[in-house]
Amino acid sequence: MRLAILVSGRGSNLAAVLNGIRDRRLPNVLAVLVVSNRPAIPALDIAARHGVPTVVLDRASFGNAGARDAAIGLAVSNSGADVALLAGYDQLLRGPYFDKFAGRTINIHPSLLPRHGGRGMMGAAVHAAVLASGDVETGVTIHEVTDELDAGPVLAQVRVAVQPGDTAEGLAARVRAVEHRLLVSTLRSLPARDSPSDLSGRMAAGPSAEDARVDA
Ligand code: GRF
């Protein structure tokens, strides 16, 4: 599978994927491009260290968000990617992106969608919302991306227990570690060319027992 990765910030999920490729835990994956919507973010340095080409397509360089999204779709398409991964990409992708890139686009989200998804539900806000809601568990979701935020079909989920006295930072750190493992296991079993419905069927069986465990 030829993989393009879209990022906006820290890049720990990007690093998990690129380390997985480097360590031959993802023999089926070739990272062909990293796209950022922000200049000078840590994720770009991570990509450079792994020798993956990068492009910055920031909103300020385009007349409107649709034109920027079309440029992102075109860059991904021109990279020859089969699959695009949103790994901490913090903006909605609109129709023009999907018009340019016909392959599969998937996203990783740090909660059990549909809980705590949608507008504004990013980063620390997600974990703060989980704690404020009194939920006793949260988790990680990997899902197909559509032009509706955090709403595409779920490919894989892993639960993470909320512990008494948890802070948003502590919960975020435990969830992030699970994200990295689930991302690698999901990419490892992601077929390059199957239809999305075939993929959903396959993933419904779940990742390996190790990857699917509930983190205490
Ligand atoms: C992760 O929690 C991811 O699930 C969410 O944004 C965060 C990005 O973190 N979509 P990082 O940039 O990969 O460290």
Side-chain angles (χ1 to χ4, degrees), residues 27-209:
N28 57 323
V29 179
L30 178 67
V32 293
L33 182 67
V34 168
V35 181
S36 172
N37 61 335
R38 303 182 190 285
I41 58 169
L44 289 168
D45 297 331
I46 292 168
R49 279 204 295 279
H50 285 264
V52 181
T54 60
V55 60
V56 176
L57 296 168
D58 59 331
R59 173 70 182 80
S61 306
F62 295 89
N64 56 62
R68 192 272 311 277
D69 288 357
I72 292 175
L74 193 59
V76 171
S77 189
N78 287 343
S79 74
D82 310 292
V83 177
L85 165 68
L86 311 191
Y89 182 72
D90 64 4
Q91 285 172 331
L92 178 68
L93 287 168
R94 296 161 188 79
Y97 165 85
F98 298 96
D99 292 342
K100 298 289 183 195
F101 178 57
R104 174 179 293 143
T105 299
I106 63 175
N107 179 48
I108 182 160
H109 185 84
S111 76
L112 292 175
L113 290 175
R115 296 286 290 163
H116 310 297
R119 184 171 274 277
M121 284 293 106
M122 279 181 291
V126 176
H127 306 293
V130 169
L131 294 178
S133 71
D135 289 358
V136 297
E137 63 179 16
T138 181
V140 177
T141 303
I142 296 177
H143 65 96
E144 301 270 359
V145 174
T146 64
D147 58 5
E148 197 184 340
L149 199 59
D150 295 332
V154 170
L155 303 177
Q157 275 187 325
V158 171
R159 299 172 191 282
V160 176
V162 176
Q163 295 172 351
D166 251 341
T167 61
E169 295 73 24
L171 188 55
R174 291 209 313 286
V175 169
R176 194 173 305 129
V178 174
E179 286 190 58
H180 299 165
R181 291 201 299 272
L182 186 64
L183 195 47
V184 170
S185 67
T186 300
L187 288 174
R188 202 164 46 218
S189 56
L190 198 67
R193 294 281 177 200
D194 284 5
S195 70
S197 59
D198 290 345
L199 177 68
S200 298
R202 192 172 308 199
M203 293 308 295
S208 70

